[in-house]
Amino acid sequence: MALIVQKFGGTSVGSAERIRNVAARILATQQEGHQVVAVVSAMGGVTNRLVELAHEVSSHPLEKEMDVLLSTGEQQTIALTSMAIAALGGQAVSYTGRQAGILTTSAHTRARIEDIDGSAVQSELEAGKIVILAGFQGLDREGRITTLGRGGSDLTAIAMAAALQADRCQIFTDVEGVFTCDPRLVKDARKLDEIAYDEMLEMASSGTKVMQSRSVEFAQKYGVPFEVRSSLADRPGTLVTEEHPNMEQVVIRGISIEKDQANVVIREVPDTPGSAGSIFRALAEADVNVDMIIQNVSNVGKARISFTLPQNDLERAREVMAPLLENQLQGAHLEAELGIAKLSAVGIGMRSHSGVAAKMFGALSDAGINIQMISTSEIKIAVIVNQARIEEAAHVVHQAFDLHKEPA
């Protein structure tokens, strides 16, 4: 007998029919002789509708009340899924994050899991029941409901698998696994059989929407291998696991893109210690996520600092920077460029293969695609290009590294 944690996303439980299908799959897993914890998201579209309602009644909804509101989406799903299993002759019990003993920080709408007391869930499993657990939510030390941010149900599943020392963790979604690139953009993208934690983390943080990056971090920290697979088809997916020597034979594992980026340039910054620190400290305190950073000395005693960020964070960045530019960094001024996108090539094989950047940049050059900014890490090369050509750029790099072909 194995203990299996299964997670089903909003699309997978998006209608009564799909909930019945999920219930049948969960029950079939138990009938194979396994204990099952199923983590479910809110039905597709429910969370967005709740957010809209909140903004209809308040221009600035309180975050702690947003958590109370948004957590109800998953509670609907756990009840409906438990009912569907009962209708099929099974025994299931629904658990909220609080009932499951998920303790989090008090950072409302973006809480982090601190601890899980899985004893109540374990007791239900030993009694022969299936546990249907609400993803995305927990409880802080003051007893208030918290949520884990977008994609938080993935994190709930990974964390519960770690707490219960589950034998398997399966992330069911509306795609068949992790692909070499988004198959909607690159038609010959190929599904990967396996991918290392580090590669999955880089791809998740670079635009691949299959998994929340915090979930991958948690899985790597606690050594939880998991499989990303389709809830709509009974086929193997992609195993996300520790890297092994054979993985390094593949130079580039996949391509990710992020559209709707903005490039912020702050000119005439005093070229003195602490200037850059004050800029990025202010942005961090406002929860503005900054990506690529370049600093150049343009004039004597003055510097130019450029950085990219998601376009929807631009106005918040302007608001944060306004008092800083007026007071501490007098004479500096901010400019912004829209219409750009980021392309990232990811692979642990970069560590042992040379010429990756030359090949990537050469392919883009041959296609006449201009590179505006470059960022690198040990296993990733990222470039900023004109958004109008980002899909063409993804196709060009995908072809250059033969990602459409099965590796030898």
Side-chain angles (χ1 to χ4, degrees):
M1 175 186 291
L3 196 167
I4 300 174
V5 175
Q6 298 179 328
K7 179 264 177 178
F8 296 89
T11 305
S12 303
V13 293
S15 66
E17 180 184 359
R18 289 191 173 185
I19 288 174
R20 287 194 294 269
N21 291 338
V22 163
R25 185 185 284 265
I26 295 168
L27 186 57
T29 303
Q30 187 198 45
Q31 290 172 344
E32 290 171 0
H34 306 304
Q35 295 178 324
V36 185
V37 176
V39 177
V40 294
S41 300
M43 296 173 69
V46 167
T47 300
N48 288 340
R49 179 55 185 150
L50 292 173
V51 171
E52 291 171 5
L53 282 171
H55 284 91
E56 285 177 17
V57 300
S58 171
S59 58
H60 294 90
L62 295 174
E63 289 186 336
K64 63 181 180 181
E65 300 303 340
M66 285 295 292
D67 278 354
V68 176
L69 175 66
L70 298 183
S71 66
T72 63
E74 279 70 22
Q75 290 180 47
Q76 292 177 35
T77 315
I78 60 174
L80 291 168
T81 307
S82 296
M83 291 175 191
I85 290 173
L88 293 171
Q91 281 190 304
V93 57
S94 60
Y95 265 55
T96 65
R98 176 188 64 79
Q99 292 170 318
I102 299 175
L103 182 68
T104 75
T105 63
S106 298
H108 289 286
T109 73
R110 54 189 180 280
R112 292 184 174 273
I113 294 176
E114 290 188 334
D115 192 21
I116 296 181
D117 179 0
S119 57
V121 171
Q122 190 68 59
S123 295
E124 299 286 7
L125 294 173
E126 290 171 0
K129 296 178 182 178
I130 297 168
V131 176
I132 309 298
L133 174 59
F136 176 66
Q137 61 183 251
L139 204 72
D140 69 9
R141 294 186 184 278
E142 282 70 51
R144 297 200 64 93
I145 294 172
T146 57
T147 61
L148 308 175
R150 285 288 187 176
S153 294
D154 293 340
L155 181 56
T156 302
I158 298 291
M160 186 57 68
L164 297 175
Q165 297 183 325
D167 298 286
R168 273 184 271 166
C169 182
Q170 300 170 326
I171 306 295
F172 288 94
T173 182
D174 57 346
V175 296
E176 294 186 3
V178 182
F179 283 73
T180 52
C181 193
D182 187 337
R184 294 169 298 182
L185 306 179
V186 177
K187 300 304 181 186
D188 55 359
R190 180 175 48 83
K191 182 176 70 68
L192 299 167
D193 293 328
E194 64 178 359
I195 186 171
Y197 290 128
D198 284 338
E199 293 171 323
M200 187 71 242
L201 184 58
E202 288 283 15
M203 291 182 69
S205 61
S206 300
T208 299
K209 305 302 182 184
V210 175
M211 286 289 295
Q212 183 206 52
S213 58
R214 284 168 56 196
S215 307
V216 184
E217 287 178 354
F218 200 101
Q220 183 174 28
K221 181 178 180 180
Y222 292 98
V224 180
F226 62 92
E227 182 187 13
V228 179
R229 60 187 299 175
S230 172
S231 62
L232 308 176
D234 191 17
R235 288 192 288 269
T238 301
L239 180 65
V240 185
T241 185
E242 294 282 357
E243 65 179 82
H244 52 77
N246 287 345
M247 285 183 170
E248 289 197 4
Q249 295 175 11
V250 178
V251 181
I252 298 295
R253 188 76 57 185
I255 306 293
S256 296
I257 68 172
E258 285 183 278
K259 296 183 178 180
D260 299 320
Q261 300 294 294
N263 181 29
V264 175
V265 181
I266 304 178
R267 302 183 185 277
E268 301 299 309
V269 177
D271 189 20
T272 56
S275 293
S278 65
I279 291 171
F280 295 107
R281 188 181 308 112
L283 292 169
E285 289 172 354
D287 286 330
V288 175
N289 291 318
V290 173
D291 190 8
M292 299 185 185
I293 301 172
I294 296 175
Q295 177 170 333
N296 299 28
V297 177
S298 53
N299 295 311
V300 177
K302 299 291 183 180
R304 182 179 70 234
I305 296 177
S306 305
F307 55 88
T308 61
L309 75 175
Q311 188 172 307
N312 56 14
D313 280 345
L314 179 58
E315 285 310 308
R316 194 170 2 153
R318 288 185 189 274
E319 293 172 5
V320 169
M321 295 308 302
L324 195 63
L325 297 178
E326 185 177 340
N327 300 310
Q328 187 174 341
L329 304 177
Q330 289 184 5
H333 57 278
L334 183 150
E335 301 171 2
E337 176 192 1
L338 305 180
I340 60 173
K342 184 175 77 169
L343 181 146
S344 302
V346 176
I348 59 174
M350 289 188 197
R351 296 171 181 159
S352 54
H353 292 76
S354 60
V356 179
K359 189 172 188 177
M360 179 175 172
F361 300 161
L364 292 171
S365 174
D366 291 343
I369 299 172
N370 187 47
I371 297 172
Q372 300 180 26
M373 299 176 74
I374 300 169
S375 174
T376 64
S377 73
E378 188 181 25
I379 65 168
K380 181 180 78 172
I381 300 174
V383 296
I384 293 292
V385 302
N386 187 300
Q387 180 158 297
R389 304 197 68 182
I390 186 63
E391 293 183 19
E392 180 187 358
H395 180 77
V396 164
V397 176
H398 196 271
Q399 289 288 317
F401 288 98
D402 292 327
L403 297 184
H404 57 294
K405 299 178 181 179
E406 289 289 342

